Amino acid sequence: IGPQELPTLTHVSIGFKSSAHQDDDYVKYCVLNTLMGGGGSFSAGGPGKGMYTRLYLQVLNRYHWIYSALALNHPYQDSGIFTINGSCHPNHGWDLTQVIIKQFKEMQNGKINHSELERAKTQLKSTLLMNLEYRNIELEDIGRQVLASDERKTPAELCAMIESVTPQQLQVLTKRMIESKPSVGAFGDLKNVPNYEEIEAAFNRDNGELTNRISHFLLKGMRGKTTGLIKKLNLCQRLIVVTSVSEHINPV
């Protein structure tokens, strides 16, 4: 039989402005990241794997056609971006985008219950302390903290900061975050991925619904040319990047 080719997938990432690594909200974003969690559609399980995070319970365990769903927070010196990334079969590109939007809207409008927050804080503290058991990682952590902030916070201080996060703080955080313009990236087979304007419009709706199903990334920039021409030119394999800094970039 021999090795098989990897399947061509649709990959979508949607993100919003978060905080720099020295901001007061940084630890809150770390807790939110752990609460959302996620991963691949297959996991070996076991303690600490995040199988009770939102993206596992509400996405990976619910939609069999999603290969992966993962929340990531990227902090930088002056700002940051909080993203949810997903991959699926190309036939479900529109549905995947809708699921990601719905998860953000749930973060914005839904409530964070006590048990899931406590689980996320415990998991984050556990990960922090387990990593610091290794001397080389501890030394790297000291170096990174001193270079970034001219000081080092002890594990006890970091754990106290994590423990102090409340559901109300996370709700304020997520509402402020999603009020900014979304940043969107996608690659792979994009024939069923909605364009940036449609994604942005969905976030402005209370229910977060995508409406114009024929409004795709590959149709954007074709200036009225037909989908038949798109197929003829074999434009389904494209890489696009859309940012909230300026008007969205056409497919390249």
Side-chain angles (χ1 to χ4, degrees):
I1 299 176
Q4 303 293 312
E5 290 187 6
L6 293 174
T8 299
L9 301 177
T10 295
H11 304 267
V12 177
S13 177
I14 301 178
F16 290 89
K17 181 181 178 181
S18 61
S19 70
H21 52 68
Q22 295 305 309
D23 287 352
D24 293 337
D25 289 333
Y26 171 61
V27 172
K28 300 171 191 173
Y29 277 107
C30 291
V31 173
L32 180 64
N33 191 169
T34 306
L35 185 148
M36 296 302 295
S41 57
F42 172 80
S43 172
K49 293 295 181 65
M51 300 295 285
Y52 283 91
T53 59
R54 279 196 181 183
L55 291 182
Y56 261 111
L57 294 176
Q58 299 182 14
V59 177
L60 292 166
N61 289 352
R62 192 172 295 179
Y63 305 104
H64 65 89
W65 41 267
I66 293 182
Y67 283 68
S68 67
L70 181 65
L72 291 172
N73 183 47
H74 305 274
Y76 301 101
Q77 186 173 5
D78 57 349
S79 186
I81 184 168
F82 188 98
T83 67
I84 296 180
N85 313 313
S87 61
C88 68
H89 188 277
N91 289 346
H92 293 283
W94 187 276
D95 304 305
L96 174 65
T97 308
Q98 181 68 88
V99 168
I100 293 175
I101 292 172
K102 289 285 190 179
Q103 286 300 308
F104 273 114
K105 295 298 286 186
E106 178 67 22
M107 289 165 54
Q108 182 183 27
N109 301 324
K111 292 184 178 180
I112 297 172
N113 64 56
H114 177 75
S115 60
E116 67 175 342
L117 177 59
E118 290 303 310
R119 186 184 297 116
K121 292 195 290 188
T122 300
Q123 184 179 343
L124 183 57
K125 289 186 290 184
S126 174
T127 302
L128 170 68
L129 296 175
M130 287 178 66
N131 284 333
L132 292 177
E133 289 181 356
Y134 297 94
R135 186 60 58 87
N136 60 326
I137 295 180
E138 184 178 15
L139 291 173
E140 180 181 351
D141 175 66
I142 294 172
R144 285 177 178 272
Q145 288 198 51
V146 171
L147 287 173
S149 60
D150 293 327
E151 64 174 351
R152 188 222 175 190
K153 289 184 173 63
T154 66
E157 290 177 294
L158 293 172
C159 287
M161 294 170 67
I162 294 170
E163 191 60 37
S164 67
V165 176
T166 65
Q168 293 75 20
Q169 289 175 333
L170 292 187
Q171 285 186 290
V172 171
L173 193 77
T174 54
K175 287 182 179 180
R176 184 175 70 240
M177 176 177 68
I178 299 175
E179 285 173 356
S180 63
K181 291 176 69 66
S183 296
V184 182
F187 70 94
D189 189 330
L190 306 182
K191 63 186 178 185
N192 287 315
V193 178
N195 67 26
Y196 180 79
E197 287 79 4
E198 178 60 31
I199 294 172
E200 184 180 27
F203 278 107
N204 291 329
R205 300 183 185 105
D206 291 338
N207 59 7
E209 291 288 343
L210 294 166
T211 58
N212 188 6
R213 201 173 180 91
I214 65 168
S215 181
H216 296 157
F217 267 119
L218 292 183
L219 292 174
K220 188 67 179 178
M222 293 301 290
R223 297 179 182 176
K225 296 182 175 63
T226 66
T227 55
L229 177 59
I230 294 176
K231 293 177 181 178
K232 182 178 178 181
L233 295 177
N234 193 24
L235 296 179
C236 288
Q237 297 296 321
R238 308 301 291 270
L239 169 66
I240 62 91
V241 176
V242 180
T243 70
S244 61
V245 177
S246 61
E247 64 180 8
H248 88 273
I249 303 170
N250 284 329
V252 297

